[in-house]
Amino acid sequence: MVVLKEMAKSDLQAMQAELQSLYDDFQKRGLKLNMARGKPSPEQLDMAMGLLTALPEDERPLDDSGEDTRNYGLLLGINEARELMAEYLGVPAANVIAGGASSLNLMYDTVARAMSFGVLGSTPFSQQGKLRFLCPVPGYDRHFAITEAFGFENIAIPMTDEGPDMDLVEKYVNEDPTVKGIWCVPKYSNPQGVTYSDAVVRRFAALKPAADDFRIYWDNAYEVHDHYPNTANTDQLLNLKTACDEASNPDIWYMFASTAKISFAGAGISALASSEANIADIERRISIQTIGPDKVNQLRHVRWFESLGGGKGKGLQGIKLHMQRLSELIAPKFEKVDAELSRGLADLDIASWRKPRGGYFISLDVVPGTAKRTVLLCQNAGVTLTEAGATWPGGYDPADSNIRIAPTYPSLEELALACELLCLCVKLAAIEKLLS
Amino acid sequence: MVVLKEMAKSDLQAMQAELQSLYDDFQKRGLKLNMARGKPSPEQLDMAMGLLTALPEDERPLDDSGEDTRNYGLLLGINEARELMAEYLGVPAANVIAGGASSLNLMYDTVARAMSFGVLGSTPFSQQGKLRFLCPVPGYDRHFAITEAFGFENIAIPMTDEGPDMDLVEKYVNEDPTVKGIWCVPKYSNPQGVTYSDAVVRRFAALKPAADDFRIYWDNAYEVHDHYPNTANTDQLLNLKTACDEASNPDIWYMFASTAKISFAGAGISALASSEANIADIERRISIQTIGPDKVNQLRHVRWFESLGGGKGKGLQGIKLHMQRLSELIAPKFEKVDAELSRGLADLDIASWRKPRGGYFISLDVVPGTAKRTVLLCQNAGVTLTEAGATWPGGYDPADSNIRIAPTYPSLEELALACELLCLCVKLAAIEKLLS
């Protein structure tokens, strides 16, 4: 074991020279790898190709109620899509709006609606002065970007191993009426892979917001995205709706989900769930906004998932079976990253990372002050990582230590190479820092 | 020829009794017909069923540039969809964003963006106080509903046979900085079927708005929706972009279109076109809003239209061929309505209507003060029409005389029945009015 910061300066310099030589070799190889975003690999997408022809051309695509999915109507989506996504989220179908390809768009629209029209009759956010939104960190950059765009002050809330720091969340939410929401990825969080504990979910449900238009934005992006499904090595998330109902807080939650990382990333179906009062409020607004979601694609998804699951009403079984197949592609990639990081960085005391049991990311913490440098070194040798700082509001990580790794898109061979380079860069940046 | 208002009271009463008896018979028949919305008929939709299997399941759906349409990316849509919709709208592809199923959603989002973020750097509309929007009447209720929802004062602008009253439009737009836009359906307008004349389009292009964030919202919903394609009996719309460029007004326009009434009403593709400066401004905003449109459905559409049109790059030919086939279903329905209205109402001097050469509606003007009554009488005998007044801002037609007829959904037989009833109700309401 060689703890880097205990090494003599001359040894550090020798190590730096050796690493630099390896890095120069990498640069000569002309790599072009991308681990920047949580994109499914082509092989994952190939496993959903049956979706393309799930609706035969010789049969009108009618839903169970006889409605023609090709035509106008059914603003909240077809019943069977609402039911499938309801089962997926663990809520009744009456609480669900089934949407189009992008759940991010549902989240954006939910914030935008509150800006223009308020929430359940409250004053529009745009007329309430400067407002705040809570952002667990490290977290999902695209969440933070939405509230930043609408002028919110995004407040960083540190993550713990059980979820956001709830003492801080309670303090903000229960005492500050300008706090209007919190972004959550409650299961296999982006980027750490933390699943909120039952106690954390219950504390969310029991919040007593100072603002009556405060809402929990619960982006359950990875509900079925276990790396080891059907084993003890999976996380369980307590149901937020149930907890909120028990805490007599029925309207405090919005849930979001999509099949983006189940079927096709850019052509799935999505869902927004909330209390019936919230859904009725939203329905009234979206009746002005749109003629409705693509119901043909909703039916296509339901039919295909049902065919995988073994028949009518077995869509969720189909999803789970499909996710098990996908996990056989995904889990080895996460294991490869973990193994490479262990091989390259263990014992040096310059980096730490979590080994998530699901989701799409690995969160790597490097020596404070070296994350940006590490990402730049990787970039200059042909491996693109998520920009350092992206996991913080405004793209600014005050410690400059967090790096998000997205292992799903590259092949195993590419991953091994990229991680080898990453470890090299983490070490180079750390030594530079120690020597400076 | 019996002009109703010149008839003696006793004759009117006799006629009323006779009509009432016919109406009573209708009521006993338990009709249930709907001419309320411009919905394609199932038979129209059946003609696009090839779309469902246009992408084979054994071939990765890559776009021309090799991008995987199944995955994330390409916020503005795939190139070939942008090119197809560009050709459709008569503008370069760089001016086009290809979107999802609902062009209404693109319009709503365009207004919503201006509310929150302004237009090309202007002050957000939400911070500019009370604003106004121009609404040609009779016009499209769902347009008016968007600006009403966002708190605009919707100003009714009378339609002429050549388009909106441009003297009034110029007065409002060029003198009043609170006027931020105008809703236009420039070809086969909803509901009259009027196509704006070249002179009107040029006057639009030459507007000198008092507000630099004024825009023309040009919903070209019926560009290829001729009832008699490839004949002299079609309308031609001057290209607004060309006219605006010639008038040195490059940023004043937004165009919208969709394939809703070409392929599937609820599962088509859409387009927003504007100047490159506007598109860049919009792109910056939607990069926060969404992961992008359903690109698989875009490729599905392009491939299917190209297969109809005879190959690569021949998508627009495919669309036109398909529209010709659809016109063979649609034109007879418009002719049937016209014939039935002529048979039932001509010579009485109580109603007038236009015979459009394309689009989805027939606009019927009845005796002032009797439109609501007519629609109610129809409703009570089982035929649902668009609510009277819907073609005006706020649903209030001050003359209470305009009724919108949507002939596409019912069968020819149903249309004949519905029109027979409609004529009866127009006459009954007129006589009631004369006798009151």
Side-chain angles (χ1 to χ4, degrees), chain A residues 40 46 60 70-71 142 287, chain B residues 40 46 60 70-71 142 287:
Chain A
D46 287 348
R60 283 182 180 169
R70 303 169 301 180
N71 221 324
R142 300 201 66 154
S287 72
Chain B
D46 287 348
R60 284 182 180 169
R70 303 169 300 180
N71 221 324
R142 300 202 64 155
S287 72

Side-chain angles (χ1 to χ4, degrees), chain A residues 355-403:
Chain A
K355 193 178 173 192
R357 309 205 284 184
Y360 259 62
F361 300 101
I362 289 170
S363 179
L364 173 68
D365 284 304
V366 296
V367 171
T370 68
K372 275 187 185 301
R373 177 65 181 156
T374 301
V375 169
L376 180 67
L377 284 167
C378 284
Q379 181 72 55
N380 289 344
V383 170
T384 304
L385 298 170
T386 308
E387 212 177 333
T391 54
W392 282 70
Y396 177 69
D397 170 5
D400 186 25
S401 67
N402 188 246
I403 295 173

Side-chain angles (χ1 to χ4, degrees), chain B residues 74-217:
Chain B
L74 298 178
L75 187 63
L76 304 189
I78 62 173
N79 284 338
E80 46 266 64
R82 297 176 71 189
E83 281 159 10
L84 175 62
M85 295 311 286
E87 196 180 351
Y88 182 96
L89 287 167
V91 304
N95 293 98
V96 172
I97 297 174
S102 172
S103 64
L104 188 77
N105 208 147
L106 293 178
M107 297 176 224
Y108 176 97
D109 281 356
T110 301
V111 176
R113 260 193 310 276
M115 293 300 298
S116 292
F117 308 114
V119 175
L120 267 190
S122 78
T123 303
F125 287 0
S126 64
Q127 296 164 37
Q128 290 195 40
K130 187 72 184 175
L131 301 176
R132 301 171 131 183
F133 220 92
L134 306 186
C135 301
V137 291
Y140 181 28
D141 52 348
R142 300 202 64 155
H143 284 164
F144 305 163
I146 290 173
T147 35
E148 183 179 329
F150 281 108
F152 286 84
E153 181 190 356
N154 279 335
I155 309 272
I157 302 288
M159 283 289 288
T160 73
D161 284 347
E162 294 192 40
D165 176 342
M166 290 308 294
D167 291 342
L168 209 51
V169 169
E170 285 166 358
K171 190 171 157 57
Y172 272 110
V173 174
N174 296 354
E175 295 177 13
D176 183 349
T178 73
V179 171
K180 298 301 186 187
I182 179 168
W183 291 117
C184 297
V185 182
K187 187 165 179 181
Y188 303 132
S189 70
N190 176 349
Q192 291 172 300
V194 168
T195 297
Y196 295 10
S197 71
D198 292 0
V200 162
V201 175
R202 289 207 179 88
R203 285 177 76 177
F204 267 108
L207 286 169
K208 300 284 172 231
D212 62 4
D213 46 11
F214 169 88
R215 293 291 182 274
I216 301 162
Y217 291 66

Side-chain angles (χ1 to χ4, degrees), chain A residues 69-130:
Chain A
T69 62
R70 303 169 301 180
N71 221 324
Y72 294 119
L74 298 177
L75 186 64
L76 305 189
I78 62 173
N79 284 339
E80 47 266 64
R82 296 176 71 189
E83 281 159 10
L84 175 62
M85 296 312 284
E87 196 181 351
Y88 183 95
L89 287 167
V91 303
N95 293 98
V96 173
I97 298 174
S102 172
S103 64
L104 189 77
N105 209 147
L106 294 179
M107 296 176 225
Y108 176 97
D109 282 356
T110 301
V111 175
R113 261 193 310 275
M115 293 302 297
S116 292
F117 307 114
V119 174
L120 267 190
S122 79
T123 303
F125 286 0
S126 65
Q127 295 165 37
Q128 290 196 38
K130 187 72 183 174

Side-chain angles (χ1 to χ4, degrees), chain A residues 129-379:
Chain A
K130 187 72 183 174
L131 300 177
R132 300 172 131 184
F133 220 92
L134 305 187
C135 301
V137 290
Y140 181 29
D141 52 347
R142 300 201 66 154
H143 283 165
F144 305 163
I146 290 173
T147 35
E148 183 179 327
F150 281 108
F152 285 84
E153 181 190 355
N154 278 335
I155 309 274
I157 303 289
M159 283 289 287
T160 73
D161 284 349
E162 294 191 42
D165 176 340
M166 291 308 294
D167 290 342
L168 208 50
V169 170
E170 285 166 359
K171 189 171 158 54
Y172 273 109
V173 174
N174 296 353
E175 294 176 13
D176 183 349
T178 73
V179 171
K180 297 301 185 186
I182 179 166
W183 291 117
C184 296
V185 182
K187 188 166 178 181
Y188 302 134
S189 70
N190 177 347
Q192 292 172 300
V194 167
T195 296
Y196 294 10
S197 70
D198 292 359
V200 163
V201 175
R202 290 208 177 88
R203 285 177 76 178
F204 266 108
L207 286 169
K208 301 284 171 230
D212 62 5
D213 46 11
F214 169 88
R215 292 292 182 274
I216 301 163
Y217 291 66
W218 200 252
D219 179 5
N220 201 351
Y222 307 113
E223 173 62 31
V224 296
H225 301 62
D226 306 308
H227 296 164
Y228 306 99
N230 305 318
T231 72
N233 199 14
T234 58
D235 292 356
Q236 302 299 325
L237 176 68
L238 197 70
N239 188 283
L240 180 66
K241 177 196 189 300
T242 310
C244 289
D245 288 345
E246 284 168 9
S248 301
N249 233 348
D251 296 324
I252 200 174
W253 59 280
Y254 298 126
M255 288 183 194
F256 304 92
S258 84
T259 68
K261 290 175 180 106
I262 301 173
S263 59
F264 292 152
I269 64 173
S270 62
L272 158 59
S274 195
S275 70
E276 293 191 35
N278 286 333
I279 292 294
D281 191 39
I282 293 166
E283 180 176 11
R284 194 162 64 91
R285 299 300 175 187
I286 60 175
S287 72
I288 306 293
Q289 177 176 11
T290 177
I291 56 104
D294 182 336
K295 299 182 298 294
V296 171
N297 203 36
Q298 292 185 348
L299 189 66
R300 183 183 284 124
H301 273 76
V302 171
R303 290 276 175 84
W304 185 63
F305 288 136
E306 287 182 342
S307 74
L308 296 180
K312 189 72 204 147
K314 295 192 174 165
L316 189 58
Q317 286 95 312
I319 287 178
K320 287 180 175 169
L321 190 71
H322 186 64
M323 291 311 288
Q324 173 147 21
R325 290 174 185 156
L326 290 183
S327 74
E328 290 162 19
L329 291 172
I330 293 171
K333 294 187 178 180
F334 277 77
E335 288 162 8
K336 173 64 77 181
V337 172
D338 186 70
E340 290 293 324
L341 294 180
S342 295
R343 197 163 66 86
L345 299 174
D347 301 339
L348 294 172
D349 194 25
I350 56 170
S352 62
W353 63 95
R354 293 180 53 95
K355 193 178 173 192
R357 309 205 284 184
Y360 259 62
F361 300 101
I362 289 170
S363 179
L364 173 68
D365 284 304
V366 296
V367 171
T370 68
K372 275 187 185 301
R373 177 65 181 156
T374 301
V375 169
L376 180 67
L377 284 167
C378 284
Q379 181 72 55

